[in-house]
Amino acid sequence: MTGRPWRDVVLPPVAERFCRYAEVWTTSDPDSDTFPSTQRQRDLGRLLVEELTALGVDAEEDAWGYVLATLPSPLPPAEAGALPAVGLVAHLDTSPDAPGKDVRPLVHERYGGGVVALPGPAPSGERATLDPDRQPALRAHVGQDLISSDGTTLLGSDDKAGVAVLMQLAADLVAAEADAVERGERPAARPELRLLFTPDEEVGRGTDKLDLERWGADLAYTVDGGAVDTLNVETFNAAEAVVTFEGRGVHPGYAEGVMVNAVRAAAAFVAALADEPAPETTGGREGYLHPHTVGGTAERATVRVLLRDFSDNGMEDKRQRVRQRAAAAGERWGAGVSVEAEESYRNMKAHIESVDPRAVTVAVEAARAMGFEPALAPVRGGTDGARLSEKGVPTPNVFTGGHDFHSVFEWNTVQNLERTLAYVGALVRQWGAAG
């Protein structure tokens, strides 16, 4: 079973929209000094503006590549004014961790539970497969219609799934509210919605240039999560340490008593982190230290280390351990050492609770109105919601149903996309009821 091209399958609107957006190349670039980091993200942004405008929605792309759109509340002004302006957020870019050009979505109808062979060779040269032994979440989706790439690229469910859900929600709301007015009925109550599509989330810059006042949301939700029926209400605290070792270069034939090899010091530092918690050995609420880039020469070598922890105390402890191990490695090899740590984002839970905890309580009530109890899970990664919450707009994260992000083995299902759309619609209605 290798699946069929998505255009050969009859799909519900949200799934069709997702596959169409997935084909647009929007990979961001962490090494770029522009914003957005790649202009190709604007291709999708311009498409969204065109589609929203065709629906009659006020939409624009600003100078930085943010797409902003407003769906006014259908309630009378006095009632609408009692509700917050609710932001709904998804990001335009896909991760640079796997190829993102020429994505070809395939649909594997009625998944039977076995290994799915994808037609294209993975970047490693081996044929890519979806394998429940390696990807156990597949077992919970037997009978559903899987969506994957052809195995040569990522799929882009992170976060084209969120983009498709919000765009389909806008189309559905516009149609339903126009139909209600035509029938002489009052449209379903909901708050004003402020849609936001951000560039460069995958490289940690998704909110760097955002004009919060222009956007105008009082609280928000990123539609950028994973497993269905899961809400993320807290994240890691995150920082990156850049550890630099300064050596002394000389001809190696005459180096005795003179050379100081910065590469050896860097290697000793990385070796000293071997017993620290790592991404590949931790889960749940466990933090880690992750040396992810090493480079340099005997004269100067640099190691970049990601620091992650859910608590402030745990984060400070990790900073101290990096400094101590760097100093010890430098002393061992006689190298100079400098450590620069830059904060990336902070745990959003405290910000949500202090500004407007209804961002969580109403989200839970919406799930219960649909008949399920949501899992409130910490997210082991950054979202635009963490940065927005820190800036004063409490922003939990909503599931999209995707799995195995940032890889050629990424997948979602038609049913998960429909589930996400149904939940976000319920969330909007719950805010209407809250007023």
Side-chain angles (χ1 to χ4, degrees), residues 7 26-27 33 71 107 136 186 188 195 198 305 318 387 420:
R7 286 183 173 85
T26 62
T27 307
D33 58 4
L71 278 72
V107 179
R186 174 171 165 147
L195 304 187
T198 65
V305 184
K318 287 179 171 56
R387 298 289 301 279
T420 304

Side-chain angles (χ1 to χ4, degrees), residues 134-214:
R134 187 183 68 246
Q135 302 160 275
L138 284 164
R139 296 191 177 99
H141 293 78
V142 173
Q144 296 192 22
D145 303 310
L146 302 184
I147 306 175
S148 74
S149 75
D150 65 359
T152 64
T153 68
L154 49 64
L155 176 61
S157 185
D158 180 13
D159 187 29
K160 303 287 179 62
V163 173
V165 164
L166 296 188
M167 290 294 291
Q168 191 62 48
L169 176 73
D172 292 349
L173 288 174
V174 168
E177 290 166 6
D179 185 57
V181 170
E182 186 175 335
R183 296 196 310 268
E185 299 174 359
R186 174 171 165 147
R190 66 164 176 82
E192 180 171 272
L193 301 178
R194 301 293 182 95
L195 304 187
L196 171 64
F197 301 96
T198 65
D200 280 352
E201 190 271 353
E202 294 291 359
V203 293
R205 307 170 197 162
T207 66
D208 282 4
K209 304 292 186 180
L210 177 64
D211 186 334
L212 289 175
E213 185 174 350
R214 185 177 185 181

Side-chain angles (χ1 to χ4, degrees), residues 232-240 277-290 306-312 314-315 318-319 343-351 377-387 389-390 397:
N232 305 127
V233 298
E234 59 177 318
T235 58
F236 284 129
N237 293 303
E240 182 179 47
E280 60 270 33
T281 62
T282 57
R285 294 180 55 83
E286 297 173 302
Y288 57 75
L289 294 174
H290 175 44
L306 298 182
L307 292 73
R308 299 290 187 267
D309 203 280
F310 282 91
S311 74
D312 291 343
M315 197 66 173
K318 287 179 171 56
R319 290 190 186 95
E343 188 174 274
S344 302
Y345 55 86
R346 297 186 64 78
N347 191 333
M348 63 186 178
K349 183 177 182 180
H351 298 290
V379 58
R380 292 177 60 82
T383 69
D384 282 336
R387 298 289 301 279
S389 297
E390 189 175 351
N397 191 35

Side-chain angles (χ1 to χ4, degrees), residues 258-300:
V258 179
M259 177 181 283
V260 174
N261 193 331
V263 170
R264 291 188 184 278
F269 169 65
V270 173
L273 297 178
D275 294 331
E276 294 286 348
E280 60 270 33
T281 62
T282 57
R285 294 180 55 83
E286 297 173 302
Y288 57 75
L289 294 174
H290 175 44
H292 65 93
T293 304
V294 181
T297 64
E299 288 81 10
R300 191 171 194 267

